[in-house]
Amino acid sequence: MAISGEEAEFISGGEFPIPVPNDENITIEFKEFGVALKFIPTVMSADSINLALNIEVSEISNQNAVSIRPSGTNTQFFVPSLSKRGAKTTVELGNGQTIGIAGLLNENITDVVEKLPGLGDLPIIGQLFRSQSFRKGETELVILVTPRLAKPVRKQDITLPTDNFVEPNDWEYYLLGRMSELKRNEPAENSYTQTSNSSNYSIAPKAGSEGRFGHQL
């Protein structure tokens, strides 16, 4: 969600460390990977949205990885590489319309052979001294865009997962084996205050974060 004309950024993933040697010591820098999204929405009219998108999907890969050994030390650092896929474009859509801006298909094939030196190369009986594994994977990435205009709503129209949630007391939980339950009865349209023997509580109209919750002992 963003204001018209302002840039918004979202990332879901992580960071991995990269050693950076210098004259005195070694410092660590972190590189982000995962799903990154940057967009700038611009409201053109009451039912039209211009959207500048920059989408990038990256993952850690052992292909093209490098090993670094700083001078004067016996320590060797292994730095993986990043496999990236992305799309950058500008679209103009109506409120709630959907468009596909990119579709990428990635296919990986890995063949690993492990064998004893010499014996694994012998014909026929060499199969007894080696093992072979084969892996094939396909990943399909489809990017769909659906912009929507966010409008304010009334408090009465907002529902929470905790609405009408009632927690069991110790007697019901340990002896009767009852778990939490959700009351289905709808509250009255107009809120009012009811007085009981031990406490006062108010019942709010329909949904909301106010009302009678929990269990009264």
Side-chain angles (χ1 to χ4, degrees), residues 191-203 212 216:
S191 61
Y192 62 92
T193 302
Q194 180 177 345
T195 304
S196 63
N197 295 332
S198 58
S199 62
N200 297 333
Y201 59 87
S202 61
I203 300 178
R212 184 182 181 185
Q216 181 178 351

Side-chain angles (χ1 to χ4, degrees), residues 105-117:
L105 182 63
N106 184 27
E107 182 176 350
N108 294 322
I109 299 177
T110 304
D111 191 4
V112 179
V113 178
E114 297 179 354
K115 60 183 178 180
L116 291 176

Side-chain angles (χ1 to χ4, degrees), residues 17 45 51 89 145 164 174 176 191:
S45 63
L51 198 60
T89 185
V145 179
N164 300 325
Y174 291 106
L176 302 181
S191 61

Side-chain angles (χ1 to χ4, degrees), residues 123-141:
I124 303 177
I125 63 173
Q127 298 291 338
L128 301 175
F129 301 97
R130 65 180 178 181
S131 63
Q132 184 174 359
S133 62
F134 177 81
R135 178 182 299 176
K136 180 179 180 181
E138 292 184 356
T139 304
E140 185 176 2
L141 174 64

Side-chain angles (χ1 to χ4, degrees), residues 5 26 29 45 59 71 74 76 85 105 109 118 124 140 142 151 153 157 159 167-169 176-177 200 203 210 212 216:
I26 298 176
E29 294 183 359
S45 63
E59 58 184 357
S71 59
N74 295 325
Q76 187 173 2
R85 289 169 291 169
L105 182 63
I109 299 177
I124 303 177
E140 185 176 2
V142 179
K151 299 179 181 180
V153 296
D157 298 333
T159 59
E167 182 181 358
N169 57 22
L176 302 181
N200 297 333
I203 300 178
E210 297 180 357
R212 184 182 181 185
Q216 181 178 351

